[in-house]
């Protein structure tokens, strides 16, 4: 029995979503809208140009506020005014390589930003469920072959990964100190793998870099073809967050823990596998070559163990990596052809839910 995201549960729910202008946040905002949730988003301006938030007209169906989670008063006033039942915190500085260039900003956003969001949540009397979205990179990476479980030590080599480990520790402290009784919200954290999907234009991310090169009819230049990551379509972890939030709302602190949402083991593949699949799927003479210049440290091997989510939430990934990559090429070629991108994105959400 697979866990289903329940449109009936989300119908009419008041959901406060930080980071709604980002890539993952835009997909989630559209999904929540499509199920009839009342969504208020709080985030910086869309981080790229173009951006899924604009291309899919996400703001049409949400109450959208542009603001900075580093400002405690702004996030508190925004959340209190909306009075949500469910909070999903996704606003973050999400890039490893940028964190080397901007470590202070990365910690300010990912650590103190999380503190501010949870402080604001304490002011909301009708809040029942909180999901803080962190990352698979919050674990102390030992470069071993098996997946990290939720009880492994937090760590992180680079400022991004480390800041997300800190955000996990903040979450645990707030859960123990403030969200620990039946009359407070149930607080969980969610750790997802390397998320891919249509509408991602970030710098220094594999799929956007591949698509930019394909568009320009240039070979993709790759730093690390043997790096292995838990790749997953964006809808996979989003479905996990939604299932988790429903469990927190309905069953409280039983589910107030850390949770991994990653792909099946067979979809933990090296960069080269993805390149070869996308080159073939795109056609039109697409190709790739190796970048031989020196690079900052990035983990070679990273896997998540999803046994707990499978056993306790009945959550499982639905799309294979090949299906995820095919859907991205399909989405991006539709965008290049001038298709209705909001409708295209909603169609892929429907395809995923009916799979």
């Amino acid at each position: 029995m697979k866990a289903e995201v329940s449109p009936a549960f989300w119908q009419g729910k008041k959901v406060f979503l930080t980071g709604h202008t980002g890539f993952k946040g835009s997909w989630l905002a559209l999904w929540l809208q499509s199920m009839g949730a009342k969504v208020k988003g709080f985030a910086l301006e869309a981080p790229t140009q173009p951006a899924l938030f604009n291309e899919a007209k996400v703001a049409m169906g949400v109450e959208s506020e542009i603001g900075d989670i580093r400002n405690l008063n702004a996030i508190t006033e925004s959340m209190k005014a909306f009075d949500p039942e469910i909070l999903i915190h996704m606003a973050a500085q999400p890039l490893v390589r940028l964190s080397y260039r901007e470590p202070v900003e990365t910690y300010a956003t990912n650590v103190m930003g999380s503190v501010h969001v949870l402080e604001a949540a304490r002011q909301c009397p009708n809040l029942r469920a909180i999901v803080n979205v962190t990352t698979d990179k919050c674990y102390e990476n030992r470069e071993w072959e098996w997946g990290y479980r939720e009880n492994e030590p937090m760590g992180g080599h680079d400022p991004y990964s480390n800041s997300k480990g800190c955000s996990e520790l903040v979450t645990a402290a707030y859960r123990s100190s403030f969200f620990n009784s039946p009359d407070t919200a149930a607080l969980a954290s969610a750790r997802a793998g390397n998320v891919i999907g249509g509408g991602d234009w970030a710098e220094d991310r594999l799929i956007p870099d591949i698509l930019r090169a394909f568009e320009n009819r240039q070979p993709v230049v790759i730093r690390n073809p043997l790096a292995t990551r838990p790749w997953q379509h964006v809808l996979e972890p989003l479905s996990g967050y939604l299932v988790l939030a429903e469990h927190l709302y309905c069953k409280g602190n039983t589910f107030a823990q850390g949770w991994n949402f990653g792909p099946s083991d067979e979809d933990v593949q090296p960069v080269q596998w993805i390149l070869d699949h996308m080159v073939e799927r795109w056609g039109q003479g697409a190709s790739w070559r190796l970048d031989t210049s020196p690079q900052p440290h990035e983990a070679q091997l990273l896997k998540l163990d999803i046994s707990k989510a499978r056993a306790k939430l009945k959550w499982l990934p639905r799309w294979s990596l090949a299906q995820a990559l095919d859907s991205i090429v399909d989405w991006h070629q539709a965008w290049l052809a001038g298709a209705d991108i909001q409708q295209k994105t909603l169609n892929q959400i429907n395809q995923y839910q009916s799979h």
Side-chain angles (χ1 to χ4, degrees), residues 57-291:
K57 301 182 174 62
V58 175
M60 282 171 54
V62 301
E63 185 183 335
S64 177
E65 181 172 341
I66 301 304
D68 193 330
I69 59 171
R70 290 173 293 183
N71 182 329
L72 175 60
N73 287 339
I75 181 66
T76 303
E77 291 308 310
S78 179
M79 205 183 297
K80 277 172 63 179
F82 183 65
D83 191 24
E85 299 165 87
I86 296 170
L87 163 62
I88 302 177
H89 172 40
M90 293 175 63
Q93 192 298 91
L95 300 172
V96 171
R97 286 163 71 90
L98 181 60
S99 78
Y100 281 109
R101 298 196 296 273
E102 300 282 357
V104 174
E105 179 188 327
T106 299
Y107 281 102
T109 302
N110 294 351
V111 185
M112 287 311 298
S114 296
V115 172
H116 294 161
V117 169
L118 293 175
E119 270 300 297
R122 293 176 62 200
Q123 310 297 317
C124 298
N126 293 309
L127 193 58
R128 299 258 303 262
I130 307 170
V131 177
N132 179 24
V133 175
T134 64
T135 174
D136 57 347
K137 296 169 191 66
C138 65
Y139 295 109
E140 184 65 55
N141 193 329
R142 311 271 170 79
E143 298 278 356
W144 54 31
E145 287 73 39
W146 50 89
Y148 292 89
R149 292 168 301 184
E150 286 85 349
N151 57 357
E152 310 275 3
M154 296 293 117
H157 178 103
D158 57 88
Y160 165 73
S161 306
N162 188 272
S163 71
K164 287 297 205 169
C166 294
S167 179
E168 284 280 355
L169 295 175
V170 165
T171 304
Y174 266 75
R175 181 164 48 232
S176 302
S177 304
F178 307 116
F179 297 104
N180 58 5
S181 67
D183 60 345
T184 57
L187 168 60
S189 60
R191 304 149 189 178
N194 279 46
V195 172
I196 58 177
D200 185 3
W201 282 280
E203 294 294 324
D204 286 329
R205 275 232 275 263
L206 178 65
I207 299 296
D209 287 350
I210 291 172
L211 293 171
R212 273 189 283 267
F214 286 178
E215 269 183 65
N216 295 322
R217 300 186 179 277
Q218 295 172 339
V220 187
V221 180
I222 290 298
R223 303 190 291 269
N224 201 345
L226 300 181
T228 299
R229 298 282 185 277
W231 312 102
Q232 57 189 157
H233 192 275
V234 61
L235 293 173
E236 303 281 20
L238 296 184
S239 73
Y241 309 158
L242 293 171
V243 167
L244 174 57
E246 182 178 346
H247 277 75
L248 291 167
Y249 186 95
C250 297
K251 298 174 183 170
N253 283 328
T254 314
F255 294 89
Q257 308 162 22
W259 298 87
N260 288 341
F261 298 105
S264 305
D265 275 358
E266 60 268 25
D267 286 328
V268 179
Q269 293 285 357
V271 167
Q272 184 169 345
W273 190 96
I274 288 182
L275 281 161
D276 292 342
H277 186 95
M278 289 190 71
V279 161
E280 183 179 345
R281 186 76 168 71
W282 187 275
Q284 302 172 38
S287 64
W288 67 275
R289 67 176 175 81
L290 189 61
D291 181 356

Side-chain angles (χ1 to χ4, degrees), residues 310-329:
R310 187 165 51 216
K312 296 190 173 177
L313 296 173
K314 301 292 184 277
W315 178 87
L316 278 172
R318 291 171 173 237
W319 278 358
S320 69
L321 181 54
Q323 283 174 290
L325 294 174
D326 291 349
S327 78
I328 292 167
V329 171

